[in-house]
Amino acid sequence: MPRVSMNVNGRAVSGEVDARTLLVAFLRDHQRLTGTHVGCDTSQCGACVVHVNGKAMKSCTLLALSCDGADVVTIEGLASGADLHPMQAAFREHHGLQCGFCTPGMIMAAIDMVNRLGPNLSEETIRHELEGNICRCTGYHNIVKAIQAGAAAMGGMKVAAE
């Protein structure tokens, strides 16, 4: 079996994987980082979004071997000890979640959105950018408010533990 090595949340990790192993499976099954969720297995729902080399990627359609040598950040890598990342705190404060299943992917996509577009995000822009993330509980209103608040708190700085 091939061996894959990468930095996950600032920590060097490696392991032998089947060549068909998806990044989401490597993270969940090999690294026990279960915050990245498997929702649709078709890259439609966004529950599996992580950052690979600073960019939001859907890990359910990305082979682990294609990330050899990459820097990967998952939802578990955002907080600094007990201090939540500003986007995580905004989701909590603005009720941007209900069941929580989509939340890790939404937060990772939102941070990428701020890193690419800056902190002044309109509701229209946020809704457009979230087209690849599905929430079946909230109706998105509070998610949009949470992202606007998180973006303002981030101040446009790249702060995703990269």
Side-chain angles (χ1 to χ4, degrees):
M1 272 202 243
R3 186 162 195 81
V4 65
S5 298
M6 62 186 78
N7 283 318
V8 178
N9 300 330
R11 184 174 62 91
V13 300
S14 64
E16 290 185 358
V17 295
D18 183 285
R20 299 168 294 175
T21 301
L22 296 171
L23 179 59
V24 69
F26 180 75
L27 295 170
R28 290 180 62 81
D29 301 339
H30 295 257
Q31 302 304 311
R32 302 292 184 234
L33 296 170
T34 57
T36 303
H37 294 148
V38 179
C40 65
D41 284 324
T42 60
S43 195
Q44 301 297 310
C45 76
C48 67
V49 173
V50 299
H51 293 178
V52 178
N53 293 329
K55 294 183 181 179
M57 305 287 284
K58 292 184 177 180
S59 62
C60 76
T61 54
L62 189 61
L63 293 172
L65 287 175
S66 72
C67 297
D68 193 49
D71 289 315
V72 177
V73 178
T74 69
I75 192 74
E76 292 93 344
L78 295 180
S80 177
D83 296 327
L84 294 177
H85 182 283
M87 192 62 72
Q88 290 173 304
F91 265 71
R92 184 184 65 197
E93 292 164 17
H94 294 274
H95 310 289
L97 58 102
Q98 281 185 6
C99 81
F101 191 80
C102 72
T103 306
M106 289 278 187
I107 290 172
M108 299 306 286
I111 293 168
D112 179 69
M113 190 185 317
V114 175
N115 287 343
R116 286 183 296 107
L117 303 175
N120 299 317
L121 300 170
S122 69
E123 179 178 342
E124 179 183 2
T125 297
I126 293 169
R127 288 182 182 277
H128 174 74
E129 289 286 322
L130 286 180
E131 286 179 357
N133 292 76
I134 297 173
C135 176
R136 292 181 171 96
C137 298
T138 67
Y140 298 92
H141 181 69
N142 288 344
I143 291 171
V144 172
K145 287 185 348 186
I147 292 172
Q148 285 177 318
M154 285 174 66
M157 297 171 49
K158 288 192 175 202
V159 290
E162 297 172 336

